[in-house]
Amino acid sequence: QKEVEQDPGPLSVPEGAIVSLNCTYSNSAFQYFMWYRQYSRKGPELLMYTYSSGNKEDGRFTAQVDKSSKYISLFIRDSQPSDSATYLCAMSAQDGGSQGNLIFGKGTKLSVKP
Amino acid sequence: NAGVTQTPKFQVLKTGQSMTLQCAQDMNHNSMYWYRQDPGMGLRLIYYSASEGTTDKGEVPNGYNVSRLNKREFSLRLESAAPSQTSVYFCASSPLLSRRTDTQYFGPGTRLTVL
């Protein structure tokens, strides 16, 4: 079993839809959870950052972490064509050493149609 | 403030050739990283440098060497390129000494093809 699992999609939705992107993980030591957005032929850019469990909201984006289920989600409300990109989840453990490195999901490709 | 810059943007090599990928950041970050991204594999860490003067292996270090030249620059070297090293290479940096709470900032990538 991979440490981080993410459905690669592709996911296609109409403009204005609510999008739900998800990752599951197996390492209970993970404490820091991030979502990166990557446009085609560009580097990933940090979108959301969450520590431990709970929700975090930033504009149209909401990140949720459920540590009991080892499951994280990113919700996009009122999706726009400009949201079309690949979304990568990433996470790391609290301990130092190699456990501090980010572990990335493979990314979900999202397309928002006008 | 350019963030993280990488050179070159594209490169084609023949098997056995060597080359160095350059990375620089102007955010005064302590930590720097090299990743490769392959279809279906996601981002995989090659090497990282937690601070100036230190480097450590990541998940896939074989066939690569790195140099943390100074706080700003972190280079990745392929001594004898192989077709399996065809990939998109990303450099990243993060502000903290500890990787425990890292948020990483990525460069635009180098697309490398090894024939």
Side-chain angles (χ1 to χ4, degrees):
Chain A
Q1 182 188 9
K2 300 284 186 186
E3 273 197 295
V4 178
E5 299 274 7
Q6 184 176 11
D7 187 336
L11 180 62
S12 184
V13 302
E15 184 175 355
I18 296 174
V19 176
S20 174
L21 304 167
N22 311 294
C23 287
T24 59
Y25 63 95
S26 57
N27 188 345
S28 58
F30 287 148
Q31 296 276 359
Y32 303 92
F33 304 93
M34 299 156 207
W35 286 95
Y36 282 82
R37 178 175 61 195
Q38 186 176 21
Y39 291 114
S40 181
R41 296 190 165 270
K42 300 289 186 184
E45 57 178 335
L46 182 67
L47 195 60
M48 299 285 284
Y49 172 90
T50 310
Y51 169 67
S52 194
S53 287
N55 294 0
K56 185 172 184 178
E57 188 173 321
D58 184 2
R60 295 184 296 111
F61 299 90
T62 300
Q64 286 186 350
V65 176
D66 182 350
K67 291 191 71 182
S68 62
S69 302
K70 297 190 180 68
Y71 188 88
I72 69 170
S73 300
L74 177 71
F75 297 95
I76 307 174
R77 291 184 299 280
D78 187 25
S79 57
Q80 303 295 309
S82 58
D83 295 327
S84 298
T86 296
Y87 290 80
L88 304 161
C89 63
M91 46 198 81
S92 70
Q94 188 168 10
D95 294 334
S98 63
Q99 291 187 49
N101 290 333
L102 282 180
I103 306 299
F104 284 86
K106 293 181 181 179
T108 299
K109 188 171 185 178
L110 171 67
S111 178
V112 181
K113 304 295 186 184
Chain B
N1 190 339
V4 179
T5 57
Q6 293 182 237
T7 56
K9 287 186 170 53
F10 302 93
Q11 184 71 47
V12 178
L13 293 177
K14 295 181 180 177
T15 296
Q17 287 185 318
S18 62
M19 79 162 294
T20 299
L21 281 65
Q22 306 286 354
C23 173
Q25 52 91 10
D26 61 3
M27 297 176 282
N28 200 35
H29 285 174
N30 289 304
S31 300
M32 298 185 74
Y33 311 80
W34 276 105
Y35 291 90
R36 59 178 290 173
Q37 188 175 39
D38 303 291
M41 300 295 292
L43 279 164
R44 292 182 292 170
L45 183 65
I46 305 171
Y47 270 95
Y48 62 94
S49 170
S51 61
E52 187 178 355
T54 68
T55 60
D56 285 290
K57 295 178 180 179
E59 181 186 354
V60 289
N62 291 345
Y64 306 95
N65 285 300
V66 291
S67 295
R68 183 75 182 267
L69 303 169
N70 47 57
K71 192 171 184 178
R72 288 187 65 248
E73 298 172 289
F74 189 37
S75 63
L76 178 72
R77 182 159 178 85
L78 287 70
E79 290 291 351
S80 179
S84 61
Q85 294 178 304
T86 293
S87 188
V88 182
Y89 291 86
F90 288 101
C91 177
S93 69
S94 65
L96 299 175
L97 272 174
S98 164
R99 296 184 307 283
R100 296 192 293 250
T101 58
D102 267 349
T103 57
Q104 295 182 16
Y105 299 83
F106 285 80
T110 293
R111 281 168 173 73
L112 176 67
T113 301
V114 183
L115 301 174

